[in-house]
Amino acid sequence: MLVELHKKLKELIELAEYIRDIKGEEFLSIGNICNELTDFYHHFYDYSQEKIISFIQSYEEKLGKILIKAEETLTPYEIVKIVRHPQRFTLLDILENVYDSYMELGGEGELNIDPAVICAKAIITRRVGDEVYFHQVMVIGHEKGHGEEFRRGGSAAPWGNEKALRYMKMAETEGIPIHFYIFTPGAYPIEDYPGAAQQIARNLFYMSKLSVPTISFISEGGSGGAEAIGLTDLRLMAEKGYYSVISPEGAAAIEAKLKDERPPRELVEKMAKALKLTAKDNLQLGTIDRIIPEPPLGARRKDYEFFKRLKYEIIKATDEVVLQTRSLKMLRKYALSKQNFENFSYYVNWELSEDEKEILIENRYEKYRKMTQWAVLEPKSFFKCLAQRGTRLGQSIAYEVKYRVLKSGQKTFKRFFEELASESSLLLKPVSDPIKSVYNLIVGKKIRTKVRMPGEIEEETEVYVSPLALQDRTVTCPQAEKFGCPDLWVPDLYGEFCGVCPNCGYHFPLEYNWYLNNIFDKGSVKTFNDEIASGNPLNFEGYAEKLKAARKETGLNSALLSFEAKIGGISVVAVMLVADFRQGTVGVAEGEKFIRAVEFAKVSRRPFIALVHTTGGIRIHEGTMGVVQMPRCTMAVRDYVDSGGLYIVIYDNNSYAGPVASFLGSAPYQFALKSTRLGFAGPRVILETTGQPVPPDYHSVENALKRGHIQGIWDRRELRKKLFFALLTMGAPNLYYR
Amino acid sequence: MKIDFSHLTQILQRFKAKPYKIYPVLTPHTGKIIEFKIKEGEEVRGPSGKWLEKPGTPLFILEREKNPKLIRAQYNGIAQNIRTDLLNRFVEAGEKVLEIKHPLSQEEIISEVLLNALLVIRAPETARYILSPELGKRLEKEGLGKVSVKEGDELLIMTFMKRETPIFLKERGTYIIYQIYFKPFELVQAGEPLLGLCPVEDLPHLEKIIQRIKAEWSL
Amino acid sequence: MKDKVLIANRGEIALRIMEACELLGLDYVAVYTKEDEESLHVRLAKKKYRISDYRDMNDLLAVADEEKCTAIHPGYGFLSENYRFARRVVKRERPLIWIGPTWEVIRDLGNKLYMKKVAHKLGIPVIPGSVEPIYNEIEAELKAQEILEQAYEEGFEEVSFLVKAVAGGGGMGIEEVKNLEEIRPVFRKVRAYAKRLFGDEGVIIEIKIPLFQHIEVQILGSKHGEYVHFGTRNCTIQSPFRQKRIELAPGFYQMGQYNFDPAKKEAEIIEHSLNLARHFNYDSVGTFEWLVTPEGKYYLMEVNTRIQVENEISAKISFVKNKPVNLLKEQIRVAFEEKLGYSQRDVAFKGMSLEFRLIAEDTKRGFTPLSGVITRFDYKEHPWLTMRTHVPKDKPYTIPTQFDPNLALAIIYGEKFDDLMEKSKQFLNEIVIEGHTFKNEPLVTNIEFLKEKLGDVYKFLSI
């Protein structure tokens, strides 16, 4: 009896301390209560049994009331603290309590390529009447407890995400559903092979078309790290979980423009609220599908009722995803049936037929395509809307006819072209007008056998002059000390030198207009969807003003330009992330524009080029609305690439975080201009996360090439030529000009 | 090995008497000195950090063709003899603006002493030098005291009379690159040291010498 | 306000520009680098500034501004044919007069392919070859074949090719190809070399003229559309790296043995050169370089949009209204928009002139440039001899290692050919250059080489 009381008292202390940790010392004198409890605990054996019983009873009551009050006054930042608390349940608790048996694959505890990621083959059972049915599933998720010292807080290393991908593929081979459990503050931001950003991008690219049902459950959803295993058919979220683009502390540091000091507590709490990171917020925003209720102040390791509930919900979610591929009637019936935690009304076979797999992937595409669309700001009338739909459809048909019909005729010159290519030479001239002669070849004109003596000397056509060039001054090349570069006269530098130091090849940043005017054929750039504007879906304080300022300054409505253009006569669809507009960060508007551009490239069978003038990642002011642009856009990319398109990404200046870890990083062809800095997280974030400083050239293109991130380093002075060459030699034969 | 321990003691005595070196700070080119960033007697630092990624202390601003250029300290030490009279005046290239009195570190003493002990490759002409690209890459990766070269290997490239002339190792045997005495692209007077090499077999003896210097110098 | 010229060069040409400025009553400022401190041009200049590098445009312009210069004379070499510098000089907020042709002319004529195109359009013969850069092997082979046919049509027999990097020059990036099969590998090699060294992969193919004389025409144009020429020069005697060593004026020896009428050919070459100059509104001194074959065919090679080292031999044999000419003075005058004040009719030619380039080089070991200390530099003064040098006679001189080791130009005048040869020999026998290298070996010069080559003047040679 005494033993039990002792145990009970200990649990009470744990609870009191838990409440104290979440709500703070001051909250209803919880600090004092903790002290009283520990005091009593220390002298436990000095008291009589009666005394102990009454003490425990009174404190049980007290804590019960406090717990209810605590739950009622729960703030978003307290939720973050719940999620981070060591008493919170972890993936291994789920494996123990939700699944009936499991076997960890590819590692156990510390003996693991990445202990922060767990993959397990698990069996989950359901009772229907008297029958017990077994389901095999793959469980993949983050683990931060049960050995905190080696779990890295649930931050998956690049190879941890690679391991996750391997077991996804295994599940696909075996045709079993995958349950993903997200318990991560974010990915471990190092660039070692396979690279943080690269691997997340690869995962997203693959998950877009995983042919098995996928369910994810978010307890701690830290941005890109969460997405790495988060693109799923149904997204569940723990009631006391958080899912956010950035930690409230990180957001506060950015907002207050702090470098090394800690942001003030009030600001952190404000950010937690502003980021709309709770389950309720996310459900409202449409970035998750369902909330799994938790007990007051959240489920802890021994909340068995919660695990029971979770088991029921996860089976139900899987059933629904499977049934959606079968019949709606059945689904409705299933939804209306009276089922409970103990007993299901139906058994659903989770194995999918080939047709069902197709529907599954279609459903997934639709789901993500629709996500966040409600927040797209696009001024248009009902009629315009209808008309647009009409033209889109018409366009699609026109392109279909044009290229299907033309295709056979084009085969001839294609062969001719192949012959030339096999000679390792493409009659390519790189300087002034290199492109025409090659294009002539491709469209079937013969090579001139007689050397052309130019009759009239070509007059210089009007040249675009960068506004940067219009000053009589000089600048120092940042690499002057290393390479002895002379100071550069600005009109030369930003004129003929294309912003490149002629001595060492250092690339100075240039305005985005330079690219539009110098990479593409004169006058061929036609932007579209310009009216789609960044909005303020979270009502983030101060963001609307920032957007207004950015709009005024740039004349743009979002950070992403989408346009049609020509390079040497080859028509392409392109997008460009512009540094001038909020550092080229990505939110709802940018994501939507990107997807529409990709889809446009797909129907018109044109190459798709993404120029990255700079991207600072996902725009934090749009919270998870921004984060889900990662899976959304990557799905569009996958669809385009699978349909036989040619997707080329070109990085310049600075390219970091979410976009690189998704729709940019998943491109089959990625090139970077010479002085680009490219990676997942900046040096400061790496230092904060890993405790290790990184060398100054850590994010250089040379290292990106060495790590296999990019396919090559290009020189801005040759960008047009290189792009043209790429258009001719890369990509599938489905392109319109092949 | 060209050095014995009695000789070493002598050399060390000399350094003990004058444990610093004075580096002049010259204007790299013409221009106007528009601001001094330091005062007489102030301490300055050269580039620091694990990868020398933190630049040195700002010394003064030299403006030419509307490009104000911050000139920074390349060595640790005390700024002295600052020519404040040059403020707001047009200066020629190579004008001495101040001096940095640089206390010699143990490492630098070793480097200086080793000039007497190592096989020193000296500049054959007054010219500009760089490491041969291949050697440069290896050194960057492995560091001093690790990279070995043998007879006939290309060590340096000399830019001289508008021609680039490679400099090869002429001595027989295998050597370890132990010291670098020049800065790339800077004019080196004929006869000045460029590289210090140690024959592989003498490495143990050299380590002993270094141990000895370390012991003596820390006293 | 009085005009002031910044002399953006070193050595003997800086001295000649100083002299011309003084003749015109202009102020000037000289510049020098640390290595040149002992040079005569530094010692003799009244006003001078130490700069970091003669190629550093920023230092030059900073000095020009500081000294309130109104014009800049680039001399030869360094920045003289850098159109970007010329452009910057005239386009900056405080513009200066550029003593040389306009930047557009420097750019267009400096682009050999463009120049060739224009010349061809004007009916001026150019060396048979490609007129546009070639970037791939197939095209190279096709082009070579075509050039070969063209050459046969024009009567060439054993044709070999020169594969050249478009951006190359001064003997760099040129390979000879004897037969068509070698074109591809050589093309690839030159292309790779060009890409590495010049950042431009463009390559051209020309036929190699086996035997030739190098003839050049000295042109002067003003900003008022006036043109005169100062005859021709013959610069056939060169080092194996195509650097001139002996030059003569006039370009043709009228008493020599030719298979053609030299006077007629000379007149044609001059006329073509003037035509091209007019086409570009050429408004400064300029040199048009030609190759002449023993059969009397001639081809325009390139145009040098600057004052030439050897300009003075033309000046020596030219008389304007019976007075001697100073081409540097003329160059500065036209830059300041003055009219010539004379026409071709006022220019008379008399006598012959020869120039030796005295250089510290080891002609027996691949013409390696040498540096060292000159301890004795002596020659006898003669009325027929003009020495152009920055090397002091009165004290030892260390040859800087950053530049070509040119020591002096000896310009000799003679009434007749035999007379000229006699004086030239006498000079070579009298001149004394002694010194030692840093390895304490005696300093070698090219005097012996010059003596040996003196017998080759006015001959058709091959390289």
Side-chain angles (χ1 to χ4, degrees):
Chain A
M1 182 67 185
L2 216 52
V3 179
E4 234 166 77
L5 287 173
H6 191 265
K7 201 174 144 201
K8 199 150 194 183
L9 180 62
K10 209 169 169 208
E11 280 172 10
L12 276 182
I13 294 174
E14 269 180 24
L15 176 62
E17 284 176 347
Y18 180 70
I19 298 172
R20 183 197 60 196
D21 289 349
I22 305 298
K23 305 291 291 187
E25 297 267 351
E26 309 298 310
F27 184 76
L28 300 177
S29 316
I30 186 75
N32 294 338
I33 293 172
C34 283
N35 294 341
E36 286 157 27
L37 281 166
T38 12
D39 249 19
F40 193 84
Y41 182 78
H42 284 313
H43 303 100
F44 182 79
Y45 295 102
D46 303 341
Y47 298 112
S48 68
Q49 193 163 322
E50 290 75 41
K51 172 96 182 159
I52 294 171
I53 292 173
S54 77
F55 181 87
I56 288 178
Q57 256 175 3
S58 85
Y59 275 88
E60 250 182 339
E61 245 169 69
K62 231 187 231 174
L63 283 177
K65 280 180 192 153
I66 292 174
L67 196 59
I68 291 165
K69 259 274 178 294
E71 170 75 9
E72 279 169 8
T73 58
L74 202 58
T75 68
Y77 189 58
E78 283 162 357
I79 287 180
V80 172
K81 291 207 308 201
I82 288 174
V83 170
R84 291 175 182 167
H85 201 278
Q87 288 189 34
R88 180 142 182 102
F89 64 93
T90 72
L91 177 51
L92 279 172
D93 299 317
I94 292 174
L95 278 167
E96 285 288 344
N97 297 301
V98 171
Y99 294 88
D100 294 80
S101 78
Y102 72 94
M103 184 201 281
E104 212 182 306
L105 300 169
E108 236 179 68
E110 209 169 350
L111 304 176
N112 214 320
I113 185 163
D114 185 5
V117 175
I118 283 182
C119 301
K121 196 72 173 290
I123 287 171
I124 194 163
T125 60
R126 83 164 98 196
R127 186 176 289 276
V128 183
D130 291 336
E131 298 280 342
V132 176
Y133 293 92
F134 293 82
H135 292 285
Q136 274 200 48
V137 293
M138 183 67 79
V139 173
I140 297 173
H142 307 105
E143 179 56 58
K144 56 197 293 181
H146 302 279
E148 284 85 348
E149 60 285 1
F150 55 79
R151 298 286 187 190
R152 237 188 283 109
S155 284
W159 45 90
N161 280 325
E162 194 270 341
K163 165 174 138 186
L165 180 59
R166 252 188 297 136
Y167 288 102
M168 288 180 217
K169 288 179 182 170
M170 201 180 274
E172 191 175 37
T173 314
E174 296 176 4
I176 56 172
I178 310 174
H179 294 164
F180 293 103
Y181 290 91
I182 297 168
F183 289 89
T184 187
Y188 202 60
I190 51 172
E191 300 295 337
D192 303 57
Y193 188 81
Q198 275 298 278
Q199 192 54 45
I200 296 175
R202 274 186 211 113
N203 283 16
L204 284 170
F205 193 74
Y206 200 84
M207 290 167 88
S208 304
K209 289 206 174 170
L210 262 180
S211 63
V212 291
T214 52
I215 312 293
S216 55
F217 170 83
I218 302 172
S219 167
E220 182 171 20
S223 197
E227 292 313 317
I229 56 168
L231 191 166
T232 49
D233 298 308
L234 207 75
R235 290 156 69 107
L236 310 178
M237 186 163 167
E239 188 190 349
K240 305 293 185 312
Y242 84 81
Y243 174 31
S244 178
V245 63
I246 189 170
S247 71
E249 291 85 357
I254 293 173
E255 279 291 293
K257 297 198 166 69
L258 298 175
K259 275 253 161 84
D260 292 318
E261 65 249 72
R262 291 185 153 272
R265 165 82 193 231
E266 302 78 60
L267 188 62
V268 174
E269 290 194 19
K270 195 176 145 194
M271 283 301 124
K273 214 167 154 193
L275 285 167
K276 298 264 172 12
L277 44 70
T278 66
K280 222 165 124 191
D281 291 331
N282 274 295
L283 188 66
Q284 251 168 25
L285 296 172
T287 50
I288 59 159
D289 300 296
R290 195 167 295 165
I291 295 175
I292 310 299
E294 290 188 60
L297 284 205
R300 292 182 289 146
R301 291 195 167 165
K302 287 170 196 152
D303 276 312
Y304 301 111
E305 278 305 303
F306 169 73
F307 293 129
K308 216 184 254 176
R309 172 78 191 245
L310 179 59
K311 178 177 179 177
Y312 167 74
E313 293 285 355
I314 199 104
I315 293 173
K316 196 165 150 242
T318 316
D319 282 350
E320 283 174 13
V321 168
V322 170
L323 289 174
Q324 266 168 12
T325 70
R326 289 181 185 155
S327 84
L328 285 176
K329 214 167 127 197
M330 182 65 198
L331 184 66
R332 216 168 297 129
K333 222 162 113 192
Y334 181 91
L336 289 173
S337 68
K338 284 206 167 58
Q339 306 187 104
N340 61 39
F341 298 179
E342 307 292 338
N343 223 318
F344 280 84
S345 314
Y346 299 97
Y347 165 71
V348 179
N349 186 349
W350 288 351
E351 227 170 280
L352 301 183
S353 70
E354 288 308 311
D355 288 348
E356 288 161 356
K357 283 177 188 170
E358 250 176 61
I359 298 170
L360 177 82
I361 290 164
E362 263 171 43
N363 285 348
R364 195 181 296 152
Y365 189 90
E366 276 305 304
K367 169 193 166 71
Y368 275 90
R369 185 71 189 85
K370 281 192 198 126
M371 208 181 271
T372 72
Q373 255 182 344
W374 61 268
V376 173
L377 286 188
E378 188 179 16
K380 63 177 171 191
S381 69
F382 176 67
F383 288 106
K384 197 178 162 201
C385 186
L386 269 187
Q388 240 179 19
R389 228 161 146 193
T391 47
R392 204 28 89 68
L393 202 68
Q395 233 168 29
S396 170
I397 292 167
Y399 283 118
E400 208 52 19
V401 170
K402 193 168 161 197
Y403 300 118
R404 282 271 157 81
V405 171
L406 278 178
K407 200 137 195 212
S408 61
Q410 303 219 327
K411 281 253 164 72
T412 347
F413 73 72
K414 193 187 151 215
R415 214 171 301 126
F416 175 49
F417 179 65
E418 274 165 4
E419 278 166 24
L420 282 170
S422 66
E423 286 282 310
S424 85
S425 109
L426 293 157
L427 294 188
L428 203 68
K429 298 177 184 234
V431 272
S432 58
D433 198 4
I435 275 156
K436 252 177 226 143
S437 67
V438 190
Y439 185 63
N440 288 345
L441 272 182
I442 295 194
V443 297
K445 282 187 195 157
K446 275 171 65 185
I447 338 172
R448 260 183 265 259
T449 43
K450 195 76 195 160
V451 182
R452 180 170 55 110
M453 273 295 186
E456 194 52 48
I457 308 304
E458 309 89 43
E459 274 302 303
E460 265 178 63
T461 48
E462 203 178 309
V463 197
Y464 168 80
V465 180
S466 165
L468 293 168
L470 304 174
Q471 292 169 59
D472 175 19
R473 65 184 183 95
T474 59
V475 291
T476 310
C477 173
Q479 303 197 119
E481 222 164 274
K482 201 168 166 199
F483 296 100
C485 315
D487 285 5
L488 296 154
W489 194 45
V490 160
D492 283 339
L493 174 63
Y494 293 112
E496 288 173 354
F497 297 162
C498 305
V500 178
C501 170
N503 188 55
C504 70
Y506 175 83
H507 283 45
F508 288 76
L510 283 174
E511 72 284 0
Y512 75 90
N513 268 317
W514 186 92
Y515 301 84
L516 298 185
N517 284 288
N518 288 296
I519 303 307
F520 304 101
D521 297 355
K522 282 266 167 298
S524 71
V525 174
K526 285 186 195 69
T527 59
F528 58 88
N529 284 333
D530 296 339
E531 66 287 354
I532 296 181
S534 292
N536 187 0
L538 308 187
N539 287 319
F540 200 104
E541 196 188 312
Y543 176 46
E545 290 72 35
K546 283 175 180 160
L547 280 178
K548 208 171 147 193
R551 256 179 236 139
K552 205 175 149 203
E553 195 188 314
T554 60
L556 302 173
N557 282 322
S558 72
L560 188 112
L561 279 175
S562 52
F563 52 95
E564 298 171 74
K566 283 180 178 170
I567 298 178
I570 297 181
S571 180
V572 300
V573 177
V575 295
M576 184 169 189
L577 278 167
V578 175
D580 316 44
F581 195 100
R582 310 280 326 143
Q583 277 76 51
T585 47
V586 170
V588 173
E590 289 78 12
E592 183 66 22
K593 281 186 80 172
F594 181 89
I595 294 170
R596 290 196 197 176
V598 179
E599 288 177 341
F600 187 33
K602 185 186 164 192
V603 293
S604 57
R605 298 186 179 209
R606 282 186 277 182
F608 183 65
I609 294 169
L611 292 167
V612 188
H613 185 223
T614 267
T615 181
I618 299 298
R619 198 172 305 151
I620 61 167
H621 308 93
E622 296 191 21
T624 49
M625 297 287 281
V627 175
V628 295
Q629 304 310 318
M630 292 173 65
R632 287 187 80 215
C633 297
T634 310
M635 288 183 98
V637 164
R638 174 76 189 263
D639 194 47
Y640 171 74
V641 171
D642 283 3
S643 78
L646 168 60
Y647 178 34
I648 302 174
V649 171
I650 295 140
Y651 300 102
D652 197 356
N653 302 320
N654 295 296
S655 303
Y656 285 108
V660 181
S662 57
F663 57 90
L664 300 173
S666 57
Y669 293 104
Q670 298 173 62
F671 298 94
L673 299 193
K674 184 100 195 316
S675 306
T676 305
R677 310 196 70 75
L678 182 61
F680 187 60
R684 219 183 74 224
V685 174
I686 298 179
L687 178 63
E688 275 165 18
T689 319
T690 68
Q692 295 290 322
V694 293
D697 67 346
Y698 191 68
H699 293 104
S700 69
V701 279
E702 288 79 8
N703 280 326
L705 189 61
K706 213 154 86 183
R707 294 182 191 115
H709 181 163
I710 51 173
Q711 273 65 47
I713 300 172
W714 285 0
D715 190 306
R716 200 191 276 140
R717 292 167 293 191
E718 291 184 323
L719 182 51
R720 181 172 151 84
K721 173 187 134 196
K722 293 277 193 189
L723 252 180
F724 183 67
F725 192 83
L727 291 179
L728 292 180
T729 54
M730 297 166 188
N734 193 43
L735 296 165
Y736 83 91
Y737 54 90
R738 292 281 163 82
Chain B
M1 188 108 316
K2 291 182 278 178
I3 192 166
D4 57 37
F5 283 94
S6 67
H7 186 192
L8 180 64
T9 314
Q10 270 177 22
I11 297 170
L12 283 176
Q13 285 300 324
R14 224 169 43 227
F15 280 116
K16 275 181 188 161
K18 194 189 154 201
Y20 56 83
K21 205 167 176 178
I22 288 177
Y23 288 104
V25 179
L26 309 179
T27 52
H29 51 66
T30 64
K32 196 176 260 180
I33 296 179
I34 56 170
E35 191 187 342
F36 277 102
K37 293 278 190 189
I38 32 119
K39 292 199 184 69
E40 188 74 23
E42 268 181 6
E43 200 181 324
V44 297
R45 299 191 63 81
S48 57
K50 192 171 169 190
W51 301 277
L52 294 181
E53 77 278 16
K54 292 181 193 128
T57 312
L59 300 176
F60 59 92
I61 298 176
L62 181 66
E63 181 173 335
R64 179 188 64 170
E65 287 289 279
K66 292 170 198 138
N67 180 19
K69 192 181 281 180
L70 192 55
I71 308 297
R72 294 171 178 276
Q74 295 302 316
Y75 302 94
N76 296 346
I78 303 293
Q80 61 181 31
N81 294 328
I82 303 176
R83 294 274 313 276
T84 41
D85 58 306
L86 293 177
L87 187 65
N88 287 322
R89 292 224 336 246
F90 188 82
V91 290
E92 293 180 302
E95 187 82 50
K96 188 163 108 183
V97 182
L98 62 128
E99 288 169 349
I100 294 175
K101 186 175 170 180
H102 168 72
L104 290 170
S105 65
Q106 194 185 60
E107 231 169 65
E108 286 162 325
I109 295 286
I110 293 171
S111 163
E112 293 284 325
V113 174
L114 289 187
L115 268 180
N116 299 290
L118 295 171
L119 167 69
V120 177
I121 308 287
R122 288 177 186 275
E125 305 280 358
T126 303
R128 292 170 207 273
Y129 296 85
I130 52 166
L131 286 168
S132 90
E134 203 225 348
L135 187 63
K137 258 182 220 154
R138 281 173 61 202
L139 279 169
E140 200 168 296
K141 211 166 148 192
E142 293 169 53
L144 285 172
K146 304 257 163 51
V147 177
S148 69
V149 288
K150 55 182 194 313
E151 186 186 358
D153 281 358
E154 191 178 297
L155 299 177
L156 298 148
I157 292 173
M158 168 174 75
T159 309
F160 169 69
M161 294 277 175
K162 303 208 294 196
R163 290 188 190 190
E164 289 194 343
T165 316
I167 296 176
F168 299 98
L169 181 61
K170 289 189 188 122
E171 275 70 11
R172 286 180 157 271
T174 306
Y175 294 83
I176 302 290
I177 309 265
Y178 220 86
Q179 289 290 328
I180 297 176
Y181 291 100
F182 73 101
K183 283 191 175 156
F185 302 108
E186 248 174 39
L187 195 68
V188 182
Q189 296 296 322
E192 289 290 308
L194 295 169
L195 294 178
L197 311 184
C198 174
V200 175
E201 58 276 15
D202 285 350
L203 217 50
H205 181 68
L206 191 73
E207 302 290 345
K208 262 185 225 157
I209 290 178
I210 291 169
Q211 283 310 319
R212 168 81 185 275
I213 302 171
K214 280 185 180 165
E216 289 249 340
W217 196 255
S218 55
L219 286 177
Chain C
M1 195 190 67
K2 200 173 173 187
D3 278 306
K4 199 179 210 178
V5 178
L6 180 88
I7 302 170
N9 215 303
R10 65 181 290 273
E12 72 80 19
I13 190 64
L15 282 163
R16 274 199 272 183
I17 299 166
M18 274 156 61
E19 182 194 282
C21 286
E22 273 162 14
L23 286 171
L24 289 165
L26 292 169
D27 275 349
Y28 64 85
V29 181
V31 292
Y32 67 101
T33 62
K34 200 172 172 300
E35 301 89 341
D36 257 349
E37 268 164 348
E38 296 168 31
S39 171
L40 266 189
H41 95 267
V42 185
R43 208 202 291 181
L44 297 181
K46 277 177 280 192
K47 189 88 196 175
K48 61 211 158 197
Y49 280 84
R50 186 174 58 232
I51 57 169
S52 54
D53 191 329
Y54 294 107
R55 274 176 213 83
D56 191 333
M57 310 179 189
N58 306 304
D59 262 0
L60 293 169
L61 292 168
V63 170
D65 286 352
E66 175 66 16
E67 275 294 312
K68 305 211 164 35
C69 292
T70 55
I72 197 158
H73 196 306
Y76 51 68
F78 296 124
L79 297 168
S80 61
E81 287 175 285
N82 183 325
Y83 76 86
R84 290 198 183 95
F85 183 52
R87 180 170 63 188
R88 181 170 164 192
V89 164
V90 297
K91 294 277 184 191
R92 60 205 297 269
E93 274 169 21
R94 188 184 164 276
L96 298 154
I97 290 167
W98 172 256
I99 303 179
T102 60
W103 66 269
E104 292 98 332
V105 170
I106 300 176
R107 182 192 60 191
D108 292 350
L109 287 173
N111 181 335
K112 278 179 211 164
L113 287 177
Y114 184 79
M115 188 274 288
K116 244 176 127 171
K117 277 189 207 171
V118 179
H120 193 269
K121 203 185 89 185
L122 296 173
I124 299 170
V126 291
I127 298 174
S130 53
V131 286
E132 276 181 88
I134 306 169
Y135 293 97
N136 75 79
E137 298 91 323
I138 303 177
E139 207 184 348
E141 214 170 63
L142 281 173
K143 196 73 49 134
Q145 214 149 27
E146 189 189 308
I147 293 165
L148 193 66
E149 281 163 26
Q150 197 187 334
Y152 286 146
E153 271 172 38
E154 289 187 27
F156 282 94
E157 278 161 16
E158 301 209 351
V159 179
S160 61
F161 299 98
L162 290 179
V163 180
K164 293 181 177 178
V166 172
M172 310 234 292
I174 300 184
E175 293 275 338
E176 189 179 338
V177 176
K178 289 234 159 59
N179 58 55
L180 223 48
E181 283 71 47
E182 286 174 58
I183 282 279
R184 282 197 190 203
V186 173
F187 173 85
R188 280 192 210 108
K189 189 177 149 195
V190 173
R191 182 180 58 185
Y193 179 86
K195 168 104 183 164
R196 210 170 57 240
L197 252 83
F198 313 118
D200 176 9
E201 299 179 301
V203 167
I204 51 172
I205 300 174
E206 285 180 350
I207 65 157
K208 190 192 173 193
I209 312 284
L211 219 53
F212 62 86
Q213 288 193 20
H214 176 119
I215 302 291
E216 54 188 38
V217 181
Q218 179 67 56
I219 298 285
L220 172 66
S222 78
K223 294 204 191 299
H224 305 280
E226 305 157 295
Y227 292 94
V228 292
H229 69 82
F230 294 98
T232 53
R233 296 187 283 262
N234 188 318
C235 311
T236 315
I237 297 175
Q238 302 183 357
S239 81
F241 300 103
R242 294 163 207 266
Q243 287 171 327
K244 297 168 187 169
R245 289 295 178 262
I246 300 176
E247 297 105 333
L248 295 120
F252 294 94
Y253 175 40
Q254 301 300 341
M255 316 290 285
Q257 298 287 314
Y258 293 100
N259 295 328
F260 52 83
D261 176 2
K264 185 168 165 268
K265 293 292 170 192
E266 184 177 37
E268 283 173 20
I269 288 171
I270 290 172
E271 196 43 48
H272 280 311
S273 301
L274 283 169
N275 272 345
L276 193 59
R278 277 191 207 102
H279 180 85
F280 280 98
N281 292 321
Y282 200 99
D283 59 357
S284 184
V285 292
T287 301
F288 293 65
E289 297 192 335
W290 297 79
L291 287 186
V292 180
T293 69
E295 298 79 32
K297 284 188 200 300
Y298 50 83
Y299 304 100
L300 180 64
M301 237 181 355
E302 59 179 69
V303 182
N304 295 318
T305 53
R306 54 168 154 87
I307 189 81
Q308 296 273 96
V309 176
E310 63 273 23
N311 78 81
E312 203 160 351
I313 54 169
S314 294
K316 285 277 179 240
I317 63 161
S318 307
F319 296 86
V320 172
K321 298 179 178 166
N322 295 318
K323 283 193 190 114
V325 190
N326 180 328
L327 285 172
L328 280 146
K329 211 174 103 188
E330 295 304 294
Q331 185 192 16
I332 298 169
R333 265 192 343 109
V334 297
F336 283 109
E337 298 188 20
E338 283 188 31
K339 287 200 169 185
L340 289 185
Y342 53 88
S343 70
Q344 193 67 53
R345 262 174 309 184
D346 302 317
V347 182
F349 298 99
K350 203 177 127 208
M352 298 179 89
S353 185
L354 176 148
E355 178 180 85
F356 290 123
R357 298 196 186 191
L358 297 165
I359 295 168
E361 62 183 356
D362 193 344
T363 56
K364 299 219 166 57
R365 288 190 183 80
F367 286 73
T368 338
L370 299 171
S371 87
V373 180
I374 293 176
T375 48
R376 189 161 164 234
F377 179 60
D378 206 7
Y379 52 88
K380 248 192 209 155
E381 310 268 352
H382 294 287
W384 44 264
L385 172 70
T386 309
M387 283 295 273
R388 294 294 181 186
T389 180
H390 55 281
V391 180
K393 264 173 139 179
D394 54 354
K395 57 179 187 182
Y397 174 77
T398 307
I399 304 168
T401 58
Q402 306 308 300
F403 318 107
D404 288 329
N406 294 350
L407 302 178
L409 304 172
I411 297 140
I412 294 153
Y413 182 78
E415 295 281 330
K416 294 261 157 48
F417 180 71
D418 295 340
D419 174 36
L420 182 71
M421 287 298 116
E422 208 50 48
K423 285 168 178 164
S424 300
K425 277 178 205 151
Q426 186 185 341
F427 168 78
L428 287 179
N429 288 329
E430 284 172 2
I431 177 93
V432 179
I433 305 175
E434 283 169 8
H436 55 81
T437 66
F438 293 118
K439 289 170 203 145
N440 248 329
E441 289 157 2
L443 191 72
V444 189
T445 67
N446 65 343
I447 293 173
E448 287 309 309
F449 173 80
L450 295 175
K451 282 183 187 166
E452 194 184 305
K453 291 288 167 184
L454 200 55
D456 281 347
V457 295
Y458 289 125
K459 281 188 184 159
F460 287 92
L461 302 175
S462 69
I463 283 179

